[in-house]
Amino acid sequence: MRLDHGFVDRTRTLRIEVDGAELAAHPGDTLGSALVAAGRQVLSQGIYTGRPRGLVSAGSEESNVFVQVLSGPGEPMVRATELEAYDGLRVRTLAGKGRLPDEPDEGRYDKTYTHTDVLVVGAGPAGLMAAWAAGTSGARVLLLDDQPSLGGRLLASRSTVDGLAAAEWIESMRGRLAAMPEVRVRSRTTVVGYHDHNYLVAVERRGGHLEETAPLTFARRRLWNIRAGQVVLATGAHERWIAFPDNDRPGIMLAASSATYAWRYGCLPGRRAVVFGAHDGALAAALDLADAGVEVAAVLDVRDAVGPQVAAALAACGLEVQTGTAVRGTLADGSGGLSAVVTTAGQVIEADLLAVSGGWNPAVELFSQSGGRTVWSQDLAGFVPDRPVQPTHCVGALTGGVDLADVVATGARTGADAGRAAGFKAVELVPPGVGNVLRAEAPPAAYFLVDSPAKDSARVFVDLQRDATLHDVRRAVGAGLSSIEHIKRYTTIGTAADQGRASGVLTVGVLAAISGRSVAEIGTTTYRPPYTPISFAVLAGRDRGRLADPERVTAIHDWHVERGAVFEDVGQWKRPWFFPQPGETMDEAVRRECIAARTGVAMMDASTLGTIELQGEDVGVLLDRLYTNLFSTLRVGHVRYGVMCGPDGMVLDDGTTARLAEDRWLMSTTTGNAAKILEWLEEWLQTEWPSLDVRITSVTDQWSTVALVGPRSREVLAGLAPELDCTVDGFPFMTIRHAGVAGIPARIMRVSFSGELAYEINVASWYAMALWQAVCEAGQPFEITPYGTETMHVLRAEKGFPIVGQDTDGTVTPQDLGMSWIVSKKKPDFVGKRSFARADTARSDRRQLVGVVPVDGRSRVAEGAQLVAHSSVLTQTPVPMHGHVTSSYDSVALGTPFALALLDSGSSRHGEVLDAVDDGLAVAVRIVSPVPYDPEGERRDG
Amino acid sequence: MLSIPCPWCGPRDETEFSYGGQAHVAYPGEPSTVDDSGWAAYLFFRENPRGWFAERWMHRAGCQRWCNVVRHTVTYEIAASYQPGAPRPDVA
């Protein structure tokens, strides 16, 4: 049934579909108001009890009627009372949980970051006045409200403000704020988090009501990240339920919500009503219902005295308040909907609407998230904010305010205060006068639970969404629980989608009533973000798929793609893993690539290695302090391998460093560690040794590197660099040369990560592709073979070169790796040295790097496999663990699979047979030297 | 999210920074002269006060400079930020 007032545009009709049945709605309706207008009462059922349920509210307190949105991208579990009607909206009502849609959400989601001097949360009368006052001071103001229109509770009010009807005043305020260039206003925007240092997060529903007409490129939701100088919380209050037997029947609704349906949406939630309350506001709702055309059969108030003004207004309508009277129970009709109300005076009153109001719970969630405590006010019968702990100002119903004149006046004052606190000159605004207001004159009662027989307590609902009852609370108390936090977890009360918004304070009151403790003493549970559920799509924004994380590719990437390389992710880099030829498996490709590198010539794109240039007088000093070996003695034109440790003596990174000139050095790091090592160097330079003359910068992207590997690599290089003396004596191992390679200025280093004769040719990235192609061409007579990271790993493992982060894990010293030779005995100190003398680090039975080969010569053990005693009985757990496999490959050079492992006392156990166990399967393995291939290093000169 | 006042860039969001633990823990001048318990104290032991705490932050997504910040570990209020090497200022 539709009335002719309110904020609903009756000139247009929207078609919506609920559970397959068509329903008419109008712009301005929520799904909830459309259902009320259609007279739909039974809409849901209790998740555990299966009892019929209907709408209990007109807003965010709703705990019964949730729907699965089927139209548009779909959304699980949306409150019917918060879902705006739009043409084509299709929903399914839910009994219990919703379902994530199976289809990927193709909608667009955005994020925005903003700063504001004053953020006002809530655009009810207090928030509107605060935003206006703060805006008048000249401050940048952001006003956010979760409703489609501004006005808050005024939207359902018949009061006048500034001589205007509520709707007109709201419109005048909207215009006033729009005219202020530094004031931004966003409706349909819910603040969900209040974090440290006045950082707040909000979700704006930009397209929710336009689902069918908005293009996919239109951002449906926008996540606001806000840093505010001052925050004004004008979040209002939520109406409180009362606990009595059978208080969950469809037709029982919060009193102010029922009046909201009548006056904001112009639809009646019932024909014949009983109103049951504990404060003057509930009586005002009775008047609202009566004036809207509802037959009010009885008005019950648990108090002995009510406000004279509201009592007189009711009397003028022929209604008498039955004081000291409560609802003892309810009866239902065949559909489960409310049919009659039983009072404590023994009356049975026929009714299809029971409007209940236990009082107001100030919406303290955001204040609580900000770190502020709430305190119980007996006068206001609610938990209100205590002192703020951030630059926060609370105003309006949040502070317990119920009087409209008072709320607009304090709103103006608070907005001015916030403007001043933000450093602006605020003007005192004269607050507008208000009219047609029923003043709350008598104090509210802190009333939660109607006395009823114990046998009824399983029908006294405390949390409708969790289907939890007085019986559950009694059971928790009987089990010895007294803390409200424990009772919450024991009963699940307050853990549903509303996170206790509707049930939290009621539970505290019920607990107080049955335990004899005070509400203040029990206190509330902690409120945590988000205030209302938000989707992961909103949090992800556009950072999805390829945009989730940057991809880095080298200057030679396109060539790799063209040649059908299979790629591997190394940090953010895409690196060729191997280059399969048609029909080749990975193992076959790697085998072919390895043979080429060991017997002919092969090439690899090594551009992803971290490259850091160091300049200054004191680079040698810095390197001496950070590397375990000596660097200051390195001659210009030479290259040295080094290992870095943390102060705890554990290996951090390794790589080669070249001295380009007296005061210019070039350091290479592992691919994954480039940024970390640059930061490591910076940290020591900035915080410990700022007097050192050293400047460092990353040049990884500026240089590209082609590794040329294999016994015939010298011939290829010689052909490309005719001016370069490539002889063993002319270009010895661990030196660097500058020469033209294929006519491109290049730095060439003779270093080797494979044990073979090898060169790393570095050129400016612009020339990388030209160099790569030239090397390919020059290598053609030698059947030069491109290879990827897998072959690189096989080649280095055969030589026992560990990979930091794969063969080490932050508990491994250079000595554990068998690299005592790189730890200087001469230097008085370097980072990590002192720790080598710690008892734990000096133990001889530490886990040490070893080689592992299968006894059968065929089985490749799994990386991560556990090393246990040979023939261990695996069913008798725990099986003592001796170590674990860190790298494992098939080795064509060795003719057997080969692995590296960390093993207790490993360096003294070569020759022993152990079992490598993975997934319950044991492989007998022999422990060998970690350098099984060319241990004398005879191959490095070609 | 904290708003951290970088001494070089001004106030910036916490996500731009990386954390460096307790400030004013200097690398011992001559580690070889430090006994085992002293060395262990340097390596592993840090204060964990309820109240004001001087800690290190690095403005990673900004100037990449280190700074020290005095922060309250209960309220998260930040009372001061200053360059490494400067003495810790007195805060209430």
Side-chain angles (χ1 to χ4, degrees):
Chain A
M1 179 178 155
R2 283 292 185 181
L3 309 171
D4 60 355
H5 54 250
F7 286 78
V8 174
D9 173 11
R10 276 169 211 76
T11 60
R12 280 180 53 211
T13 300
L14 310 170
R15 274 186 318 214
I16 61 181
E17 200 183 289
V18 180
D19 295 330
E22 254 196 28
L23 203 67
H26 303 287
D29 264 328
T30 62
L31 175 63
S33 64
L35 288 165
V36 166
R40 296 276 303 271
Q41 202 179 41
V42 181
L43 293 161
S44 173
Q45 60 185 50
I47 183 169
Y48 302 121
T49 60
R51 287 166 65 102
R53 296 279 160 80
L55 289 162
V56 294
S57 77
S60 65
E61 305 99 321
E62 182 56 40
S63 41
N64 274 350
V65 185
F66 287 77
V67 297
Q68 177 95 24
V69 178
L70 306 171
S71 47
E75 211 169 333
M77 282 204 87
V78 182
R79 279 187 183 80
T81 53
E82 292 188 309
L83 181 59
E84 279 182 67
Y86 59 85
D87 209 33
L89 172 67
R90 282 186 302 119
V91 304
R92 195 177 65 235
T93 53
L94 292 170
K97 286 176 282 191
R99 267 198 72 187
L100 282 174
D102 295 326
E103 302 295 311
D105 185 346
E106 303 292 346
R108 178 172 285 185
Y109 297 85
D110 260 343
K111 294 179 187 177
T112 186
Y113 295 81
T114 193
H115 292 257
T116 185
D117 296 315
V118 177
L119 169 68
V120 181
V121 184
L128 285 171
M129 288 303 294
W132 182 30
T136 308
S137 77
R140 287 176 300 168
V141 176
L142 181 60
L143 172 63
L144 303 180
D145 188 272
D146 65 344
Q147 296 275 320
S149 17
L150 307 179
R153 209 177 305 159
L154 279 180
L155 291 168
S157 169
R158 290 182 286 155
S159 301
T160 63
V161 186
D162 212 6
L164 301 170
E168 290 162 9
W169 184 73
I170 293 167
E171 189 53 30
S172 77
M173 287 301 286
R174 204 186 59 75
R176 202 169 256 160
L177 295 171
M180 301 172 111
E182 296 294 341
V183 176
R184 285 180 292 170
V185 179
R186 289 289 184 280
S187 50
R188 296 188 176 95
T189 305
T190 310
V191 177
V192 294
Y194 192 149
H195 306 277
D196 298 310
H197 294 189
N198 263 1
Y199 192 86
L200 293 93
V201 175
V203 178
E204 180 184 5
R205 297 180 301 283
R206 298 181 71 235
H209 53 302
L210 306 169
E211 224 57 273
E212 293 297 288
T213 50
L216 266 182
T217 50
F218 180 83
R220 308 177 60 229
R221 304 273 190 279
R222 181 184 277 153
L223 188 74
W224 285 71
N225 296 273
I226 305 155
R227 182 79 71 182
Q230 304 287 316
V231 171
V232 175
L233 291 179
T235 48
H238 299 123
E239 206 171 12
R240 192 161 64 223
W241 204 237
I242 297 176
F244 53 85
D246 296 317
N247 61 344
D248 66 326
R249 296 197 197 282
I252 309 179
M253 187 182 277
L254 290 163
S257 286
S258 63
T260 296
Y261 280 120
W263 288 98
R264 174 173 171 181
Y265 298 107
C267 56
L268 295 185
R271 289 190 168 76
R272 187 176 152 89
V274 172
V275 178
F276 171 35
H279 62 114
D280 285 1
L283 306 179
L287 199 65
D288 285 336
L289 289 174
D291 286 348
V294 176
E295 181 193 346
V296 177
V299 182
L300 316 177
D301 196 307
V302 298
R303 297 173 298 168
D304 293 326
V306 302
Q309 192 196 359
V310 70
L314 282 168
C317 295
L319 292 170
E320 193 191 337
V321 182
Q322 298 183 43
T323 55
T325 308
V327 172
R328 206 187 67 196
T330 64
L331 303 174
D333 60 21
S335 71
L338 180 76
S339 64
V341 175
V342 185
T343 73
T344 50
Q347 301 156 277
V348 178
I349 308 165
E350 266 183 47
D352 61 354
L353 172 66
L354 172 56
V356 175
S357 183
W360 292 103
N361 290 328
V364 295
E365 290 87 348
L366 292 178
F367 178 80
S368 187
Q369 287 179 24
S370 80
R373 285 167 192 268
T374 59
V375 289
W376 174 254
S377 163
Q378 190 68 27
D379 292 343
L380 300 165
F383 283 96
V384 293
D386 197 7
R387 275 182 312 122
V389 298
Q390 296 201 36
T392 315
H393 310 257
C394 297
V395 70
L398 169 63
T399 61
V402 289
D403 184 79
L404 184 58
D406 183 47
V407 162
V408 292
T410 51
R413 208 157 53 232
T414 306
D417 287 347
R420 261 190 298 273
F424 294 84
K425 269 209 180 96
V427 195
E428 290 302 329
L429 298 175
V430 179
V434 301
N436 195 21
V437 171
L438 282 175
R439 290 184 65 94
E441 296 168 314
Y447 187 86
F448 305 94
L449 175 67
V450 180
D451 206 21
S452 61
K455 68 176 173 56
D456 291 344
S457 63
R459 290 184 288 119
V460 178
F461 287 86
V462 177
D463 186 332
L464 290 166
Q465 205 180 349
R466 281 287 182 219
D467 240 359
T469 63
L470 174 61
H471 177 71
D472 297 317
V473 179
R474 283 194 198 281
R475 213 159 46 90
V477 172
L481 303 179
S482 56
S483 155
I484 188 68
E485 293 284 2
H486 292 158
I487 288 169
K488 169 180 172 176
R489 283 152 184 81
Y490 192 81
T491 60
T492 75
I493 289 173
T495 60
D498 71 343
Q499 290 289 293
R501 197 175 309 151
S503 58
V505 177
L506 177 62
T507 308
V508 176
V510 165
L511 183 60
I514 63 174
S515 68
R517 292 152 69 204
S518 74
V519 173
E521 178 197 339
I522 295 167
T524 62
T525 56
T526 308
Y527 298 101
R528 296 189 178 86
Y531 169 72
T532 197
I534 55 178
S535 71
F536 285 109
V538 172
L539 293 175
R542 298 199 195 182
D543 305 336
R544 296 159 51 159
R546 287 199 65 199
L547 297 180
D549 197 37
E551 272 176 15
R552 299 177 77 184
V553 297
T554 72
I556 310 165
H557 185 74
D558 290 348
W559 191 93
H560 305 322
V561 172
E562 207 171 295
R563 284 293 288 261
V566 176
F567 288 89
E568 177 185 34
D569 289 341
V570 182
Q572 291 174 331
W573 288 103
K574 294 278 172 206
R575 297 196 69 180
W577 195 12
F578 56 97
F579 290 87
Q581 289 188 346
E584 247 182 359
T585 64
M586 175 176 176
D587 281 351
E588 288 163 354
V590 170
R591 187 184 161 84
R592 174 178 50 75
E593 291 171 14
C594 285
I595 291 171
R598 291 274 182 232
T599 63
V601 61
M603 62 194 289
M604 186 184 71
D605 179 0
S607 306
T608 62
L609 285 180
T611 314
I612 297 168
E613 183 156 336
L614 303 92
Q615 295 189 18
E617 296 293 319
D618 298 323
V619 175
V621 178
L622 176 73
L623 297 182
D624 278 352
R625 291 179 186 178
L626 292 178
Y627 276 123
T628 60
N629 49 340
L630 200 60
F631 266 84
S632 51
T633 54
L634 187 69
R635 283 172 294 149
V636 172
H638 286 252
V639 183
R640 192 163 285 173
Y641 173 76
V643 169
M644 278 188 216
C645 293
D648 58 0
M650 303 304 151
V651 172
L652 203 66
D653 200 49
D654 70 342
T656 57
T657 295
R659 193 167 197 168
L660 303 174
E662 275 303 315
D663 60 352
R664 284 186 75 189
W665 306 63
L666 199 64
M667 175 188 288
S668 69
T669 73
T670 49
T671 298
N673 265 347
K676 182 174 141 189
I677 295 305
L678 186 73
E679 284 178 12
W680 180 246
L681 301 174
E682 276 289 355
E683 180 179 345
W684 287 96
L685 276 174
Q686 288 182 34
T687 67
E688 290 292 343
W689 309 313
S691 62
L692 290 185
D693 175 30
V694 180
R695 294 286 180 273
I696 59 181
T697 191
S698 165
V699 292
T700 304
D701 290 312
Q702 282 72 19
W703 291 87
S704 289
T705 305
V706 176
L708 189 57
V709 177
R712 310 206 67 174
S713 56
R714 179 177 288 122
E715 293 160 71
V716 177
L717 180 64
L720 286 163
E723 289 154 35
L724 183 66
D725 176 359
C726 289
T727 60
V728 175
D729 295 332
F731 191 177
F733 188 55
M734 296 304 262
T735 58
I736 183 168
R737 295 287 181 268
H738 299 259
V741 177
I744 303 163
R747 292 169 175 164
I748 310 127
M749 275 190 265
R750 246 205 78 190
V751 292
S752 178
F753 197 39
S754 57
E756 300 299 326
L757 172 68
Y759 303 89
E760 282 183 6
I761 309 167
N762 296 273
V763 297
S765 288
W766 303 114
Y767 299 114
M769 188 66 102
L771 173 70
W772 181 266
Q773 281 163 342
V775 174
C776 278
E777 206 167 304
Q780 221 162 28
F782 309 93
E783 293 181 35
I784 195 164
T785 303
Y787 69 95
T789 50
E790 188 65 16
T791 292
M792 174 189 83
H793 277 278
V794 175
L795 299 174
R796 65 90 197 173
E798 287 168 348
K799 284 291 290 176
F801 294 143
I803 299 265
V804 174
Q806 172 158 346
D807 301 298
T808 72
D809 61 4
T811 66
V812 177
T813 65
Q815 295 87 339
D816 295 339
L817 294 174
M819 296 169 74
S820 300
W821 54 270
I822 206 163
V823 179
S824 166
K825 307 276 186 296
K826 285 187 229 148
K827 290 198 286 183
D829 189 41
F830 55 83
V831 172
K833 181 181 171 84
R834 173 63 184 83
S835 287
F836 296 143
R838 290 181 60 238
D840 183 63
T841 323
R843 277 188 296 124
S844 62
D845 61 346
R846 289 178 61 82
R847 213 157 259 198
Q848 292 150 349
L849 190 73
V850 294
V852 168
V853 291
V855 172
D856 67 8
R858 290 190 318 270
S859 305
R860 184 159 84 192
V861 300
E863 292 183 351
Q866 311 287 297
L867 295 176
V868 301
H870 185 45
S871 301
S872 290
V873 181
L874 299 178
T875 50
Q876 277 173 23
T877 54
V879 183
M881 176 187 170
H882 294 221
H884 65 277
V885 173
T886 57
S887 302
S888 179
Y889 311 96
D890 279 328
S891 169
V892 61
L894 301 171
T896 169
F898 171 76
L900 294 172
L902 289 167
L903 178 66
D904 294 337
S905 306
S907 56
S908 57
R909 293 172 75 175
H910 295 180
E912 239 180 81
V913 172
L914 296 171
D915 281 352
V917 181
D918 174 60
D919 206 13
L921 213 68
V923 175
V925 293
R926 179 167 286 110
I927 305 306
V928 298
S929 152
V931 192
Y933 185 73
D934 184 29
E936 279 75 42
E938 285 166 352
R939 304 187 58 84
R940 72 171 195 216
D941 288 333
Chain B
M1 186 188 316
L2 304 180
S3 175
I4 299 171
C6 171
W8 287 272
C9 306
R12 293 290 188 275
D13 283 351
E14 181 185 347
T15 47
E16 294 184 15
F17 292 79
S18 53
Y19 188 65
Q22 184 180 341
H24 306 293
V25 181
Y27 185 72
E30 284 182 60
S32 59
T33 64
V34 180
D35 65 13
D36 274 359
S37 67
W39 188 248
Y42 164 72
L43 281 183
F44 303 123
F45 290 81
R46 294 294 182 267
E47 286 169 27
N48 184 21
R50 182 186 169 87
W52 294 108
F53 183 54
E55 60 194 12
R56 308 189 311 151
W57 290 87
M58 195 267 280
H59 195 188
R60 174 184 243 176
C63 62
Q64 306 206 329
R65 306 296 296 173
W66 283 88
C67 65
N68 294 335
V69 168
V70 179
R71 183 177 62 98
H72 197 281
T73 57
V74 178
T75 65
Y76 292 0
E77 191 185 341
I78 290 176
S81 74
Y82 50 102
Q83 303 186 6
R88 173 179 170 161
D90 284 330
V91 299

